Amino acid sequence: MFSSFFQTAKNSPFRTPFNRVQCDDGQSAVMGSLTPSAVGSQPAPVVGREIAAASAAASPTDSCEFGSSKYFALCGIGGILSCGTTHTFVVPLDLVKCRLQVDQAKYKNLFHGFKVTVAEEGARGLAKGWFPTLIGYSLQGLCKFGFYEVFKVKYADILGEENAYLYRTYVYLAASASAEVFADIALSPFEAAKVKIQTVPGFASTFREAVPKMMKEEGINAFYK
């Protein structure tokens, strides 16, 4: 039993990125017991062995092939649905949070912030900034989920199949960091407009009203502060 746990932990993709994954030689665990090769040696990769997850063709039950254009598109759509919708649902909480940050004298705490906002602007006021939130975080999710998969495949191609597997944690870290750069670039203009709408009294009530004002007052830099 413990030998199985050891092998699982040894090859887990969630292990520390500072350890190198080593392919075993197929003889490391026999009949539930560990042999010396599993502990002290570093056997070479097995000749002819392929990484099933990376090399297997799509089965008839799969909706698309891994690494195909449809696969990347579906990942992007998943990002849109998960990020865009969830952030839009919490716009009232986000609005009060932003106002607490910029005017603590007026909005003393979370519940007081809701009370003051509803008293001054009605329940509808809690939805201020919903449109730039929906579009901005949908674009962020599209880039974050979609480009993460794209960069994973591209970096794996650069390293080669064997190295991409052995150092997969580094590949995942690099892919996620690269994707987040594009995700934040896409989000920033919409987030900047959203914060203006929510925290500057009388500035604008809608995204369409806020954008030209921001451009006129500060230029393009207003969207990437």
Side-chain angles (χ1 to χ4, degrees):
M1 179 180 69
F2 290 105
S3 63
S4 299
F5 289 153
F6 178 82
Q7 289 300 112
T8 301
K10 179 182 174 184
N11 295 302
S12 169
F14 302 106
R15 65 210 302 273
T16 169
F18 303 106
N19 292 334
R20 184 173 182 269
V21 177
Q22 182 71 44
C23 296
D24 67 58
D25 58 2
Q27 302 298 323
S28 299
V30 180
M31 299 296 290
S33 62
L34 290 175
T35 63
S37 64
V39 179
S41 63
Q42 293 187 357
V46 178
V47 177
R49 176 177 291 180
E50 295 181 339
I51 302 170
S55 61
S59 70
T61 58
D62 291 338
S63 62
C64 61
E65 183 181 356
F66 174 80
S68 64
S69 297
K70 183 179 179 182
Y71 172 79
F72 294 135
L74 289 174
C75 290
I77 292 171
I80 292 172
L81 295 175
S82 61
C83 293
T85 55
T86 53
H87 281 81
T88 304
F89 288 152
V90 297
V91 161
L93 183 63
D94 183 53
L95 178 140
V96 175
K97 182 266 298 184
C98 290
R99 291 182 173 181
L100 282 170
Q101 291 173 330
V102 299
D103 193 349
Q104 291 183 342
K106 183 176 181 180
Y107 305 94
K108 302 184 186 304
N109 54 55
L110 181 65
F111 297 105
H112 185 257
F114 274 106
K115 182 180 178 180
V116 172
T117 300
V118 172
E120 292 182 348
E121 305 174 52
R124 192 173 181 179
L126 293 172
K128 268 190 171 182
W130 73 268
F131 182 76
T133 298
L134 174 63
I135 303 302
Y137 281 97
S138 293
L139 290 174
Q140 190 209 36
L142 171 67
C143 296
K144 183 182 292 187
F145 283 62
F147 284 156
Y148 172 64
E149 297 297 331
V150 171
F151 282 119
K152 267 202 312 187
V153 171
K154 295 302 180 184
Y155 292 160
D157 288 343
I158 292 171
L159 293 175
E161 185 180 34
E162 187 64 36
N163 284 329
Y165 174 75
L166 294 176
Y167 302 104
R168 61 188 180 276
T169 304
Y170 291 106
V171 173
Y172 301 158
L173 289 172
S176 61
S178 301
E180 189 62 36
V181 170
F182 292 94
D184 289 342
I185 290 172
L187 169 65
S188 185
F190 297 92
E191 182 74 0
K194 180 209 71 131
V195 172
K196 280 279 193 181
I197 293 169
Q198 292 179 338
T199 62
V200 180
F203 181 79
S205 299
T206 64
F207 180 71
R208 183 166 50 184
E209 184 183 353
V211 170
K213 282 189 176 182
M214 293 172 69
M215 280 291 294
K216 183 178 180 180
E217 292 179 3
E218 304 178 65
I220 195 69
N221 289 335
F223 300 101
Y224 287 96
K225 278 187 173 181

